[in-house]
Amino acid sequence: MSIDEYSRLDGLGLAELVATKQVQPIELVDAAIARIERHNPKLNAVVWTMFDRARAMAKGPLPQGRFAGVPFLLKDALGDIEGAPTRHGSAFVPATPYEQNAYLTNRFLAAGLVPLGKTNVPELTLMPVTESRLYGPARNPWDVSRTPGGSSGGSAAAVAAGMVPVAHANDGGGSIRGPASCCGLVGLKPTRARTSVGPTLGEGWGSLEVEHVVSRSVRDSAAMLDATAGSEPGDPYCAPPPAASYLAELANAPKALRIALVRARPDGSAPHADCLAAVDHTAALCRSLGHHVDLIDPPAWWAASSEPFTVLYATSQVTFIDSIAAATGAVPSPNQLEGYTLAVYEMGKSFSAAQYQASLNAIHQFGRAAAALHRQYDVMLTPTIGAPPLPIGTVDTESANLEVTIGQLLDFLPFTTMANMTGQPAITLPLFWSADNLPIGSQFIGRFGDESLLLRLAAQLEAAQPWAHRHPPVWN
């Protein structure tokens, strides 16, 4: 199989070729490796490779999962696999191979996926851009002078460039949806605790963080959730089980939905004109499909959400950095951690246990407020990001000026953190390209536990306005 034929199919399409014996898994793996070797020097999306191991896996018996034989990339954060390091984009984290797989990795492997390596991330996944000191910047296939977003920026760049059809991603404040928007992909943030983050964690970032993938097709995202959803023994809690397979649900077009459209940031200001144009385009498309769209103001609690998010975000870094220090004897210092990371660490240490508990209570109340809104509306529609993909270097990762840097981050991702705090599922779809040929996503937020409706709506929109034929400039 040529690398160009390989890159035009989604994951399920490639798996079908394997299942019908039209290609062998080793052919797919070789095509993926060739694609990585062609594009990674420009994009810096993949930072750790395991090509020999992948070739050996592809030649041997593979689990008969839905993605049997499909090449895949793990993220260098929580994408733990035995024999490879997970460094979270930081020199502070040693390059020591892990001795066990993450539970999620086991489910990826059981689905038949063949991991080829690890993808680029910002240090400790703190940034919505992927520009760590350790790895250097990942670049956007649509414009290599711009960011692919973060923290799943390497995964998004790899999928958008056709290196793999789908890649591991996680999301504590927009780290699936932001990169998917920047790179013209589907990015589903599942419901809180839909997938396990064990065995090393019970919850990530005070329950803000969830695991999934970025993909080029809605059906790949649905099928991947079928493969990975569900708790493991010992998990502290789990999401409500779905009524049916997420992939099977795509055959059921949604009824006329009541959609709440929010165009303004939490403070009432307007995002970039391209982001407004994108969400207005999506709203018009929804209306053309028979859905009812109401423009509403940002919910009142959105304006109060930044403080509890910041407390949970910062204190989680203290826990992680201190755990690495305890295991290695290393002391957090400017030599090993970026200026912004150290400043977040110090800020996190300044918060009390009472402030942490109050922040948990606050996000639970936000969840109840969101549930009340969903008594009136089936889904909410917002821009995904506040501006088009930023030029690389816009955010200074070495700056200790938290007021400036956090302001930049919230400006770029003003719409995504709410669903992390409430635990709701949210999906971004690539339905609009700017005059500069940059993808600008639109975000739909659903009821807690109801990824199925979001995926059914996404499939309807994908059928109405297919995006798979659009390829970035580096594609060839």
Side-chain angles (χ1 to χ4, degrees):
M1 168 175 271
S2 76
I3 61 175
D4 294 323
E5 291 173 317
Y6 157 80
S7 60
R8 287 191 173 91
L9 292 174
D10 67 358
L12 290 177
L14 293 173
E16 184 178 357
L17 294 182
V18 172
T20 55
K21 302 190 185 307
Q22 297 180 62
V23 300
Q24 296 297 315
I26 187 61
E27 295 178 75
L28 299 185
V29 167
D30 282 341
I33 291 171
R35 193 87 182 171
I36 292 170
E37 290 177 338
R38 174 193 285 185
H39 293 309
N40 203 55
K42 303 186 208 82
L43 300 177
N44 194 29
V46 181
V47 294
W48 175 271
T49 60
M50 48 184 80
F51 292 164
D52 290 343
R53 178 175 175 174
R55 286 186 170 114
M57 285 181 64
K59 291 176 182 176
L62 287 166
Q64 294 305 300
R66 190 170 268 151
F67 289 93
V70 175
F72 187 68
L73 289 165
L74 293 161
K75 183 176 175 179
D76 187 43
L78 302 181
D80 305 333
I81 187 167
E82 182 184 1
T86 303
R87 302 198 69 186
H88 299 263
S90 178
F92 189 68
V93 182
T96 305
Y98 267 63
E99 297 180 356
Q100 62 181 345
N101 294 344
Y103 290 155
L104 183 69
T105 301
N106 287 335
R107 296 202 179 194
F108 287 143
L109 295 174
L113 292 158
V114 182
L116 301 177
K118 297 282 186 77
T119 60
N120 201 345
V121 298
E123 186 166 71
L124 306 193
T125 69
L126 288 175
M127 288 275 183
V129 296
T130 300
E131 302 173 26
S132 74
R133 184 196 299 170
L134 178 65
Y135 293 139
R139 296 181 179 276
N140 193 319
W142 292 92
D143 179 346
V144 295
S145 73
R146 293 177 183 261
T147 183
S151 64
S152 305
S155 291
V159 173
M163 297 179 190
V164 290
V166 62
H168 173 219
N170 38 50
D171 191 315
S175 288
I176 289 174
R177 291 158 290 158
S181 177
C182 288
C183 293
L185 303 175
V186 177
L188 172 67
K189 182 202 84 71
T191 297
R192 176 175 292 142
R194 176 62 69 200
T195 57
S196 177
V197 291
T200 57
L201 294 175
E203 60 182 16
W205 286 22
S207 80
L208 300 176
E209 189 272 330
V210 293
E211 300 288 309
H212 194 41
V213 297
V214 287
S215 66
R216 293 201 301 271
S217 69
V218 173
R219 69 175 191 163
D220 272 3
S221 188
M224 287 297 297
L225 198 57
D226 281 334
T228 60
S231 63
E232 294 280 355
D235 284 349
Y237 44 78
C238 60
S245 155
Y246 295 110
L247 183 61
E249 286 278 11
L250 302 188
N252 304 316
K255 62 177 178 60
L257 299 176
R258 300 161 300 169
I259 300 175
L261 168 63
V262 177
R263 299 174 81 247
R265 290 187 174 101
D267 63 4
S269 64
H272 190 281
D274 285 346
C275 300
L276 288 179
V279 79
D280 288 343
H281 171 85
T282 300
L285 182 58
C286 288
R287 291 187 181 103
S288 76
L289 294 169
H291 303 301
H292 183 81
V293 181
D294 287 340
L295 177 64
I296 67 169
D297 292 328
W301 65 268
W302 280 17
S305 65
S306 61
E307 182 177 350
F309 177 84
T310 300
V311 171
L312 297 176
Y313 164 86
T315 54
S316 295
Q317 310 320 309
V318 176
T319 302
F320 181 75
I321 290 171
D322 283 351
S323 71
I324 297 297
T328 65
V331 176
S333 70
N335 291 331
Q336 294 180 301
L337 289 168
E338 295 165 12
Y340 176 74
T341 306
L342 274 174
V344 170
Y345 173 69
E346 294 299 329
M347 176 175 63
K349 290 196 294 184
S350 74
F351 294 130
S352 68
Q355 285 173 290
Y356 180 84
Q357 187 62 56
S359 297
L360 285 178
N361 291 342
I363 68 168
H364 296 160
Q365 291 304 318
F366 298 159
R368 292 187 172 94
L373 179 68
H374 281 281
R375 295 191 190 105
Q376 183 176 357
Y377 294 102
D378 298 300
V379 296
M380 181 180 286
L381 169 61
T382 77
T384 305
I385 55 181
L390 299 174
I392 288 170
T394 299
V395 181
D396 183 1
T397 61
E398 297 292 354
S399 172
N401 189 329
L402 290 179
E403 183 177 357
V404 170
T405 306
I406 289 178
Q408 286 180 303
L409 307 189
L410 293 176
D411 238 21
F412 188 47
L413 283 185
F415 299 103
T416 54
T417 60
M418 290 66 176
N420 297 88
M421 288 184 279
T422 62
Q424 295 168 264
I427 192 169
T428 183
L429 301 176
L431 294 165
F432 183 85
W433 269 255
S434 72
D436 296 325
N437 198 33
L438 294 172
I440 309 287
S442 292
Q443 174 182 235
F444 292 93
I445 304 172
R447 292 186 180 95
F448 188 93
D450 196 3
E451 289 94 331
S452 295
L453 179 59
L454 288 182
L455 288 164
R456 287 163 56 206
L457 174 60
Q460 183 187 45
L461 292 164
E462 183 182 36
Q465 188 186 302
W467 52 72
H469 64 286
R470 298 195 69 135
H471 297 148
V474 302
W475 185 265
N476 294 316

